[in-house]
Amino acid sequence: MKTPLILAIALFALLIAITLLANWHTQRQTAAYLYDNAAQIPAHKAALLLGTSPTLADGRSNLYFTHRIRAAAELYRAGKVRYIIASGDNRKHGYNEPEAMKAALIAQGVPAERIIPDYAGIRTLDSVLRARNIFGQPSYIIVSQKFHNERAVYLARTHGIRAVSYNAADVHLLYAGGFKTRVREYGPHENVSGPAHRQTAQTRRRNHRPARLAFRLPLTQGSLKPWQNLSRSGIHARRFKFLVYLR
């Protein structure tokens, strides 16, 4: 009876050790590309704002969302970026992270024409690859909390994208959802100790293609809405979330 229990404990301890080592490696590899001060970060054409829900399950405001919006708006006001790609989830009817981010950014004084929604940023990996493959940006500033930026920058640079990041204010672990979010990021959700490594290998085998693709369109044509048709392709935009890219 004791042997299976000891083995289970040993395997669990090994898993924890591997996860911690992988996260340490990620932090070490990305430390030079993370910024806390907007004045110090190099200017880029675009920022990639990573999405999250604007509210918690109980209806309260999500501080992760609020802080990311403020950080992205701060970069724009400081002249560090000309465009903000708001990348998030829009798979379910009535749930639209990109439009929520766009509205919040406009409320912070960012012009609507400078905000480009990406409706297919389902995962962090999708967002970082689509910023290059769909929106034509070989380098950009990622905006999220530090623990998320570490993973996003690692994924981006592993795929040859010259990304840096601006750290939004963090959220206390005791805040509703704070501990759960940290566990999800450091655990087997998409971090570099598990699925993110597998995603890196998978996307390399697929020529660095994100899970959801779209045709590139000049920014001068304006940002397409999800329900608009693409006359050049004859394919409805609702299905593939077609968007413009930045020249």
Side-chain angles (χ1 to χ4, degrees):
M1 293 292 293
K2 290 185 178 180
T3 302
L5 178 61
I6 293 174
L7 286 175
I9 293 174
L11 288 173
F12 180 74
L14 180 61
L15 177 62
I16 294 297
I18 291 173
T19 300
L20 292 175
L21 181 61
N23 283 304
W24 172 82
H25 174 73
T26 303
Q27 293 168 358
R28 185 169 176 270
Q29 292 295 315
T30 60
Y33 309 115
L34 274 61
Y35 293 83
D36 294 307
N37 189 334
Q40 297 176 349
I41 196 166
H44 287 69
K45 180 180 288 188
L48 173 63
L49 175 59
L50 298 178
T52 187
S53 173
T55 58
L56 300 174
D58 60 8
R60 286 184 294 165
S61 295
N62 182 358
L63 291 183
Y64 286 106
F65 178 92
T66 301
H67 293 331
R68 291 181 197 184
I69 294 297
R70 289 176 179 170
E74 183 180 354
L75 284 178
Y76 180 82
R77 288 194 294 267
K80 296 297 182 176
V81 295
R82 287 184 282 157
Y83 297 96
I84 298 175
I85 303 171
S87 183
D89 194 348
N90 179 218
R91 288 174 294 178
K92 298 178 181 178
H93 180 70
Y95 184 77
N96 195 327
E97 290 178 355
E99 288 297 328
M101 289 189 286
K102 182 176 181 178
L105 287 168
I106 292 173
Q108 288 283 323
V110 180
E113 63 272 17
R114 296 292 176 172
I115 306 167
I116 311 299
D118 174 14
Y119 300 95
I122 309 303
R123 305 169 300 170
T124 303
L125 183 62
D126 290 325
S127 294
V128 299
L129 291 182
R130 286 172 60 82
R132 178 189 62 187
N133 296 6
I134 306 307
F135 298 96
Q137 301 306 295
S139 64
Y140 48 80
I141 303 173
I142 299 173
V143 180
S144 188
Q145 276 70 32
K146 181 179 179 181
F147 66 90
H148 192 189
N149 280 340
E150 289 169 345
R151 177 164 58 87
V153 169
Y154 182 90
L155 287 169
R157 289 198 165 256
T158 297
H159 288 87
I161 300 168
R162 301 186 305 275
V164 297
S165 71
Y166 183 50
N167 298 327
D170 212 340
V171 176
H172 197 281
L173 287 176
L174 297 181
Y175 170 74
F179 181 75
K180 179 180 178 181
T181 299
R182 289 297 185 90
V183 170
R184 185 176 68 247
E185 294 297 336
Y186 286 114
H189 169 60
E190 195 186 6
N191 68 13
V192 295
S193 66
H197 269 167
R198 292 195 293 273
Q199 288 167 15
T200 297
Q202 289 169 0
T203 49
R204 278 175 173 168
R205 289 194 296 269
R206 297 170 185 168
N207 297 320
H208 297 189
R209 291 163 62 90
R212 295 159 182 84
L213 291 173
F215 292 117
R216 292 185 176 186
L217 295 176
L219 184 61
T220 53
Q221 292 187 12
S223 180
L224 294 176
K225 298 298 182 181
W227 59 84
Q228 286 181 313
N229 290 319
L230 292 177
S231 59
R232 290 197 300 173
S233 66
I235 302 175
H236 198 276
R238 181 190 293 275
R239 181 179 177 187
F240 293 103
K241 311 297 184 186
F242 288 98
L243 293 168
V244 299
Y245 78 110
L246 312 181
R247 280 181 169 176

